[in-house]
Amino acid sequence: MTNTDKPTRPPRPVPYVMDEEQAGLLARLSEDYADAVQEIQDRTPHASVVALLHAVHAHQAQRVFACDPRWRETAGITEVPEDRADDVAAALALLQVARDDLEGLEGALLLAARTASTRTGKPLLTFKKIAAALGVESEQAAQGRYRRKVGNLNGTDSGLDGTP
């Protein structure tokens, strides 16, 4: 294909696309926690930061596609959205808020995973299950992540809880 040929589709505006399993997990959690989302956003304004950053990116990506005649028709864009430099700068400034929120959330979820179940008295998730959920290669890697995010392992967090 030469530079003058019309491409068949525009580049993907979002660099990360969920796989089928992740999309299914998101759909299930969205349904299970739909009532809590608005309450969390009202109570914790920074919980909306990541969604807003995506919205700014989507607007700018649409603008980029609209400015290039090769993509405009293929992307179905009829007019060029306005340039929003201040919004892009604000989104960049909020990236650290989003990173900090996700860091804290990961620690809180890891702690919840290793907190004893009221039903069984054993941790909610084994390090093997945590490793699988995080996509890390081993239980030891999951334990290391736990130590970095939460603190030292205690007796219950030794990974020797006997559950699969």
Side-chain angles (χ1 to χ4, degrees), residues 132-152:
L134 292 174
V136 297
E137 293 186 21
S138 67
E139 293 176 55
Q140 292 77 17
Q143 289 174 354
R145 184 93 148 248
Y146 181 94
R147 282 187 198 99
R148 286 189 303 280
K149 303 287 180 180
V150 178
N152 288 330

Side-chain angles (χ1 to χ4, degrees), residues 59-109:
H59 175 84
Q60 289 306 117
Q62 185 177 25
R63 193 185 66 72
V64 168
F65 293 148
C67 290
D68 186 336
R70 295 176 302 161
W71 303 119
R72 186 178 302 130
E73 186 180 319
T74 307
I77 299 169
T78 57
E79 62 184 65
V80 177
E82 66 186 65
D83 208 0
R84 296 184 181 167
D86 288 345
D87 291 353
V88 173
L92 288 169
L94 287 172
L95 278 174
Q96 192 57 48
V97 172
R99 287 184 188 110
D100 293 344
D101 186 40
L102 289 173
E103 284 290 316
L105 192 54
E106 182 179 6
L109 288 169

Side-chain angles (χ1 to χ4, degrees), residues 7-31:
T8 57
R9 63 177 192 203
R12 211 173 35 197
V14 179
Y16 177 78
V17 175
M18 284 186 254
D19 65 25
E20 207 172 298
E21 180 183 357
Q22 292 167 324
L25 293 170
L26 179 62
R28 182 178 63 78
L29 291 175
S30 294
E31 185 175 313

Side-chain angles (χ1 to χ4, degrees), residues 34-59:
D35 295 340
V37 171
Q38 188 61 50
E39 178 185 330
I40 290 167
Q41 289 177 332
D42 291 344
R43 185 183 63 224
T44 316
H46 65 271
S48 301
V49 171
V50 174
L52 287 171
L53 297 178
H54 276 285
V56 171
H57 174 259
H59 175 84

